Amino acid sequence: MVMKMKSWSAALAVCTALSFPVAGARADLLIENVTLIDGTGTTPIKGASVLVKGDRIELVSPTALKHEPGVEVVNGAGKFLMPGLIDSHIHLGANTITEDNFKEQRQVGVRALHGYLYSGITTVFDSGNVPDYIFGLRDEERSGKLLSPRLLATGTTVNVAGGRGGGPIRPEGTPNSPIRLKEKWSESKPVVEAYFKSRKPDVQKLVIDRRGVFEPPTPIMSVEQMTNVIRLANENGVRTTIHAASEEDYNDALAAHIDEFAHVIRYPASDALLKLLATKKVPLSSTMIVFNYIERIAEDTSFLEAPLFKASVDPEIIANQKGPERQRYMSSGMSAQFKITHNYGLNNAKKVHDMGGMIVAGTDRGWGPTLHMELELLHGVGIPLLDLTRIVTLNGAIYLSREKDLGSIQRGKLADLLLLNADPTKDVKNFQAIAAVYKGGQKIDFSKLDIPANRK
Ligand SMILES: [Zn+2]
């Protein structure tokens, strides 16, 4: 009975809004008669309508809405509308950016960002980069100067001297220095706090990697050091994520109250740990493709010829991946090691998902098409496609603390939308059947993207 009352009042509110439009508040965009996949993982709704005013979603209706004058109407018949995709773990420039070259490398980043838009991705989180580079691009994106997905970043990561897994190596004592904790927190705290206040990282990444299963041990932060950093970040309104590798690393990070993880554990993990992660709903960025990519490229580079790659990634980058980068992956032993650990990671992702945990789509790569490869891997291990529609949208927004504004098609949220020509809940390839991409209600003009598809 109470439920009925509630839906009545909701219906009345909708009617009122439609019958008496406020003067001047013109609706900008109406996508109608579309199958709505709203990002929450609930059953798609056929024949739905979504009304966008300005940059926000004004109304979501399971049925037709009245056409207001001046509204741009998009006929969604035969199409599927979902939130824009979110990649929760990228490195713009794919680790080629250094403190010395980042100014010349701007265009590399811009082109990659355009490739993300072309791939249906409207938000990315850069999980470690040269701060001046990534925050410079973030400023350009936020001021509207740069055509780009929403760009969120950590900038530098927090580690200890000699710790591994910290990403690009940069000298200490410069504006782009990595943060390397000293033994005494009183010595490190001012440095860390100054970073939070001056750079305003969207999420702060820490790194502990005491060993891969196959590598010698390296120094890591203590639980106490991590606890101090995480508490300070949270006090400054910043969530924390962490690169962790082994089960001990994960347990230490949990003991220090980490908010989330930058990878799914890719080594054998106990059911107790996986259960704990699932029960606490700790978000885990999946990043299966980084391992799969490096493993696969040793044997077969043909995936770099896939249509989405060729359309959106520069031929020089593809040639570099097929040549020197492939050699580096093989000679460093990475390809061979990732081949061994590949199934552990995917199985852990599936187990956590099945236990009710929060898997978030992330790639640890620098190009849009890899997010689609990530979805293929997660689906390949048995995660249902409808669940993936949430893993790559709302779960990403939660990982980034942006769920109030992003990640689902719900009233009041930003209108970051992906219109597809085919049903992504029927075939994982259909996430690539892109008809249109909207960021904040604005349709992305694909002809303006600096990508190979436009340079013929
Ligand atoms: Zn990474």
Side-chain angles (χ1 to χ4, degrees), residues 15-27 53 58 68-69 411:
C15 288
T16 311
L18 283 177
S19 314
F20 305 103
V22 182
R26 184 177 64 80
K53 283 195 180 191
E58 173 76 9
E68 290 180 47
R411 185 174 191 167

Side-chain angles (χ1 to χ4, degrees), residues 134-440:
I134 203 69
F135 291 130
L137 287 168
R138 185 182 69 173
D139 288 347
E140 289 189 53
E141 186 272 316
R142 291 202 179 154
S143 67
K145 276 189 232 153
L146 179 64
L147 183 57
S148 164
R150 297 181 199 281
L151 177 55
L152 283 70
T154 189
T156 195
T157 56
V158 178
N159 202 333
V160 287
R164 75 184 288 277
I169 306 300
R170 294 182 291 277
E172 286 195 62
T174 65
N176 287 296
S177 289
I179 298 175
R180 298 291 175 254
L181 298 182
K182 307 277 184 267
E183 213 150 295
K184 280 195 193 140
W185 176 237
S186 58
E187 285 175 35
S188 296
K189 186 183 176 191
V191 176
V192 179
E193 188 151 37
Y195 185 79
F196 293 152
K197 294 205 185 306
S198 64
R199 300 291 194 166
K200 301 199 181 342
D202 297 285
V203 175
Q204 182 59 49
K205 185 172 162 193
L206 290 69
V207 175
I208 54 164
D209 196 336
R210 51 167 50 87
R211 62 177 179 107
V213 163
F214 306 99
E215 295 107 34
T218 51
I220 57 160
M221 270 178 277
S222 66
V223 171
E224 191 189 335
Q225 282 176 307
M226 273 190 277
T227 305
N228 285 328
V229 174
I230 292 163
R231 188 186 298 131
L232 186 62
N234 291 169
E235 283 168 8
N236 280 273
V238 180
R239 267 169 84 90
T240 53
T241 187
I242 191 163
H243 164 111
S246 65
E247 176 145 357
E248 297 113 296
D249 296 340
Y250 275 72
N251 283 324
D252 276 6
L254 286 169
H257 303 284
I258 194 75
D259 296 299
E260 52 209 20
F261 287 88
H263 301 280
V264 165
I265 185 166
R266 68 183 173 97
Y267 296 115
S270 70
D271 278 353
L273 172 61
L274 299 178
K275 186 88 199 159
L276 182 64
L277 291 166
T279 311
K280 294 176 88 169
K281 290 208 182 295
V282 181
L284 307 169
S285 183
S286 52
T287 70
M288 290 297 124
I289 189 57
V290 68
F291 307 114
N292 181 263
Y293 179 109
I294 291 171
E295 169 196 340
R296 206 192 297 187
I297 204 168
E299 288 157 15
D300 176 17
T301 61
S302 64
F303 66 90
L304 295 166
E305 302 296 329
L308 197 56
F309 256 100
K310 292 193 92 163
S312 68
V313 182
D314 277 8
E316 306 84 69
I317 288 175
I318 292 180
N320 185 50
Q321 289 294 311
K322 284 182 172 178
E325 280 293 276
R326 177 171 175 269
Q327 284 307 322
R328 184 174 72 85
Y329 292 141
M330 287 163 65
S331 60
S332 64
M334 271 194 279
S335 292
Q337 194 209 109
F338 292 171
K339 193 181 175 76
I340 298 169
T341 54
H342 167 76
N343 284 330
Y344 294 122
L346 276 170
N347 290 335
N348 288 339
K350 173 70 161 60
K351 276 190 193 171
V352 170
H353 179 74
D354 287 350
M355 290 170 175
M358 186 172 292
I359 300 296
V360 182
T363 60
D364 204 0
R365 302 268 74 195
W367 312 291
T370 57
L371 187 62
H372 293 281
M373 297 167 75
E374 183 74 25
L375 296 176
E376 285 172 26
L377 286 170
L378 294 172
H379 182 54
V381 78
I383 296 181
L385 290 166
L386 184 59
D387 295 358
L388 281 183
T389 65
R390 177 182 163 123
I391 283 172
V392 71
T393 59
L394 185 56
N395 286 6
I398 292 169
Y399 185 90
L400 299 171
S401 290
R402 293 295 190 278
E403 69 270 27
K404 278 197 189 113
D405 286 324
L406 301 174
S408 61
I409 301 180
Q410 289 174 304
R411 185 174 191 167
K413 288 204 182 185
L414 288 165
D416 289 3
L417 307 168
L418 174 59
L419 189 64
L420 296 169
N421 287 316
D423 187 351
T425 68
K426 291 286 184 287
D427 187 331
V428 72
K429 293 265 184 234
N430 293 345
F431 282 97
Q432 299 178 43
I434 296 166
V437 175
Y438 297 84
K439 179 188 171 192

